[in-house]
Amino acid sequence: MADSPSAIAPSSAETAWKVLALLAATYFLWHIYAKPRPKPALRSVAVLVLGDIGRSPRMMYHAESFALNKFQTYLIGYRGSKPIPSLLSLPRINILYLSEPPSYLRGLPFIIAGPLKVLSQVIDILRTLLERIPHPPEFILVQNPPSIPTLAVVWLVSRLRGSKVIIDWHNLGYSILALKLGEQHAFVRLAKRFEKYFGRSAYAHLFVTNAMREYLVQEWDLQGRKVVLHDRPPARFHRASPSESHELFQHLLPSFSSPSLTSFLPTSKPPYSTPFTYIPPSRFPPSGPTLDVDLALDMSDLSPFAEHVAMPELRGDRPALLVTSTSWTPDEDFGMLLDALKQYELAARAREGLEDEKERLPKILMAVTGKGPLRQRYMREVERLQMGSGQGDEGGWRYVRCASLWLEADDYPLLLGSADLGISLHSSSSGRDLPMKVVDMFGCGLPVCALGFACLDELVKDGVNGLVFHNAEQLAAQLESLLRGFPSAPALAALQASFQQAAHAPAGSPDHWEWGTWAENWNRTMRPLLLHDVASEAAL
Ligand SMILES: *[C@@H]1O[C@H](CO)[C@@H](O)[C@H](O)[C@H]1NC(C)=O
């Protein structure tokens, strides 16, 4: 050092610069440390997700559950889709939006914009956790991934303020990065060390599957309490009544108005009938079908003569309604579903002459929900298959139609609750997470045919609440065996019945598989983690 001339005789400008920097750093540290440290406010929590809050169902359900358990709840994340209504109405929930990274960063090359974006996020999260929330929260619940920079920021805040960190491990951030860059990439190795270092020492860890728990506990030697909290849908996901279905399908009629669908579906006359439901005419009062049915339906809620008012029912000539929800990305093989439907079409034709109705196969309407990059490509392919090439005796599909639907948030549970069978094409990148869409389907009492992968059996019990397939042939065979004789299809009915049994069978009985609502599950799993505070509050 001594032989560096500038160290001996630094220019005054340089010295001034250094002193200024030192003063600034000191001020910053003093500002944080020297302030009398307020104790964390009991029964308060910050729920942090570095993403669109409205598209983070699990974190919204967490926030809702904390609030219902009397925690003052701060939900922190980005603005975007509308959050579920209960978050906007519950008194103990405050939504604190983070600001978007400054727009001028978008013009810069990634190598500069990347670090600057992270820096602006760090400052914004720190400011939110340390200043916008009036007292330090007792708990900080953070979703991982993304890991960078959130894990480090909450680690720092927990050091400064004494908040207890709970990490909700949805997946491993570095493993997602590794899909793009490869395990050996320097960024990936760095991200892994970061995630491990800042993730290890939390107060508690939540996992979405047993597989995730086993893996992380073994690989990373996690400290703190460790709990598996399987996803469960909230209570609004339930089996729809025929009246709810009737209303939904009236609502969806415009989506079914293309010529290829109108010629395929049974004819309907709203408000008396839809392709799937109808109001039985024989039950109309003597004045006949001129009665205002809407009025009659509204009255049914109040009228002591409700049993005399016509209620919608499912049609006997309805097609089987199958639902899949997809993000239309390459990791979900929609082509496999199309192959299976092709085979089903042929099987249905082969059986159409059969004497015994119970041996015939029904028409299928395959409702596909979701938006994504491959949608156009596959829907063109669907169009081609449905219409046929126009030559030869094969012709277009007669037994199958696909309809791509974009639903309001409130209609989605109703569609699942009205459907006959769900299809899941989800395949897990890590083999340690489970498809939320199957969870939603189960919440609606809807059995599934699901593409198999490593830990799927934590959710789908093959032959009980669904069937597991590995290729298009197996899926086609499952559709045939489940739908034979529809609408009275014994194999399908057996799967559907398992949901009632799951709700009523005593634990330990052979038919039992564990199922409950999010709130039941959360109360049972999370309250013990937070309980000592509940006890100390009771002692006050
Ligand atoms: C969960 O706990 C909260 C708070 O005690 C309670 O209000 C709620 O009813 C419970 N929910 C269920 C489904 O047990």
Side-chain angles (χ1 to χ4, degrees):
M1 176 107 42
D3 44 28
S4 154
S6 71
I8 297 164
S11 78
S12 55
E14 197 180 325
T15 312
W17 184 232
K18 279 183 181 166
V19 169
L20 262 180
L22 194 64
L23 280 177
T26 312
Y27 175 76
F28 183 68
L29 289 175
W30 173 82
H31 185 71
I32 293 174
Y33 278 114
K35 262 206 275 194
R37 185 164 126 171
K39 279 176 67 177
L42 281 185
R43 287 257 174 159
S44 63
V45 62
V47 178
L48 172 62
V49 48
L50 209 61
D52 179 349
I53 289 178
R55 283 176 181 273
S56 308
R58 184 167 155 111
M59 300 317 269
M60 290 192 285
Y61 303 160
H62 269 304
E64 183 181 20
S65 290
F66 271 112
L68 288 173
N69 278 279
K70 304 201 172 66
F71 275 77
Q72 192 64 38
T73 303
Y74 300 90
L75 180 54
I76 304 168
Y78 289 106
R79 201 181 289 277
S81 316
K82 220 167 105 190
I84 53 174
S86 62
L87 291 189
L88 305 172
S89 59
L90 279 173
R92 290 189 194 84
I93 292 192
N94 308 276
I95 300 187
L96 302 176
Y97 286 112
L98 298 170
S99 33
E100 294 295 331
S103 55
Y104 60 79
L105 288 182
R106 258 176 256 140
L108 297 174
F110 177 78
I111 192 78
I112 303 170
L116 285 180
K117 183 177 158 202
V118 170
L119 190 68
S120 85
Q121 282 177 332
V122 169
I123 293 170
D124 201 20
I125 299 170
L126 275 178
R127 200 172 64 83
T128 305
L129 286 173
L130 296 175
E131 287 170 21
R132 287 171 73 192
I133 299 181
H135 296 282
E138 182 179 10
F139 295 98
I140 302 178
L141 175 70
V142 59
Q143 173 187 320
N144 184 73
S147 328
I148 302 172
T150 30
L151 289 189
V153 176
V154 296
W155 177 89
L156 180 66
V157 172
S158 80
R159 292 290 151 117
L160 296 179
R161 294 297 181 85
S163 304
K164 295 180 194 136
V165 174
I166 303 174
I167 302 180
D168 195 8
W169 295 92
H170 294 198
N171 208 331
L172 293 169
Y174 88 88
S175 76
I176 294 174
L177 199 62
L179 285 183
K180 269 190 250 168
L181 301 175
E183 287 272 349
Q184 292 311 312
H185 195 283
F187 275 180
V188 174
R189 296 217 306 264
L190 189 69
K192 185 173 178 177
R193 292 181 65 159
F194 178 96
E195 198 169 358
K196 182 172 175 177
Y197 182 82
F198 291 110
R200 255 185 76 181
S201 58
Y203 167 74
H205 306 271
L206 310 179
F207 308 95
V208 288
T209 59
N210 293 317
M212 182 72 78
R213 176 194 159 123
E214 271 156 35
Y215 173 74
L216 278 171
V217 168
Q218 194 181 10
E219 291 280 307
W220 286 14
D221 184 28
L222 292 180
Q223 314 292 307
R225 307 168 75 167
K226 306 164 198 87
V227 181
V228 175
L229 182 70
H230 281 124
D231 278 319
R232 292 290 178 263
R236 66 199 173 92
F237 285 78
H238 58 82
R239 197 79 207 134
S241 67
S243 302
E244 287 175 307
S245 301
H246 187 69
E247 197 148 308
L248 170 76
F249 292 125
Q250 289 193 52
H251 207 146
L252 290 183
L253 272 181
S255 317
F256 298 149
S257 62
S258 73
S260 73
L261 280 175
T262 47
S263 61
F264 175 82
L265 296 170
T267 51
S268 58
K269 209 170 139 209
Y272 305 105
S273 63
T274 72
F276 299 90
T277 54
Y278 75 125
I279 297 173
S282 60
R283 308 259 187 89
F284 281 125
S287 58
T290 51
L291 182 87
D292 183 340
V293 174
D294 274 338
L295 185 64
L297 288 178
D298 285 350
M299 278 161 44
S300 68
D301 291 333
L302 309 167
S303 164
F305 309 110
E307 65 268 35
H308 300 302
V309 179
M311 296 295 283
E313 290 180 7
L314 296 175
R315 295 169 72 133
D317 61 349
R318 70 188 188 275
L321 179 60
L322 273 54
V323 184
T324 189
S325 106
T326 174
S327 45
W328 298 102
T329 49
D331 56 330
E332 275 185 19
D333 187 358
F334 196 74
M336 190 186 292
L337 176 58
L338 285 187
D339 284 343
L341 291 174
K342 267 185 232 172
Q343 293 170 34
Y344 179 89
E345 168 76 25
L346 296 179
R349 288 184 198 183
R351 291 177 162 270
E352 69 191 348
L354 293 182
E355 195 81 3
D356 185 357
E357 274 187 21
K358 291 196 166 30
E359 289 300 314
R360 288 186 222 153
L361 290 173
K363 289 180 168 183
I364 289 180
L365 179 65
M366 179 81 244
V368 187
T369 72
K371 278 178 180 166
L374 298 178
R375 180 176 171 276
Q376 271 211 318
R377 196 190 107 195
Y378 276 120
M379 287 316 288
R380 266 204 301 272
E381 167 82 3
V382 163
E383 196 68 15
R384 198 181 59 75
L385 289 164
Q386 287 179 174
M387 295 327 251
S389 54
Q391 325 146 1
D393 53 3
E394 278 267 307
W397 279 354
R398 284 189 278 120
Y399 282 88
V400 180
R401 286 290 180 279
C402 280
S404 163
L405 304 176
W406 180 247
L407 297 165
E408 303 284 328
D410 291 342
D411 284 347
Y412 181 59
L414 285 177
L415 180 71
L416 297 184
S418 304
D420 299 296
L421 181 66
I423 308 281
S424 166
L425 300 166
H426 176 95
S427 62
S428 165
S429 63
S430 65
R432 294 179 204 102
D433 60 336
L434 289 165
M436 191 69 193
K437 44 200 156 194
V438 175
V439 172
D440 289 342
M441 288 171 182
F442 282 1
C444 293
L446 183 64
V448 296
C449 291
L451 180 64
F453 60 85
C455 67
L456 185 68
D457 62 354
E458 287 187 40
L459 181 61
V460 180
K461 314 288 173 201
D462 196 19
V464 178
N465 54 15
L467 297 175
V468 178
F469 63 88
H470 297 275
N471 54 47
E473 288 70 34
Q474 288 175 355
L475 175 56
Q478 291 173 0
L479 294 181
E480 287 163 37
S481 71
L482 288 177
L483 296 178
R484 196 170 302 156
F486 184 89
S488 78
L492 184 60
L495 295 186
Q496 286 165 344
S498 79
F499 290 91
Q500 270 104 50
Q501 284 150 16
H504 300 129
S509 76
D511 288 345
H512 181 78
W513 54 282
E514 198 191 294
W515 191 255
T517 62
W518 168 272
E520 290 160 0
N521 201 30
W522 196 94
N523 281 6
R524 195 180 55 238
T525 313
M526 293 293 290
R527 285 171 64 96
L529 269 189
L530 320 164
L531 195 68
H532 85 100
D533 310 292
V534 176
S536 62
E537 192 200 49
L540 284 178

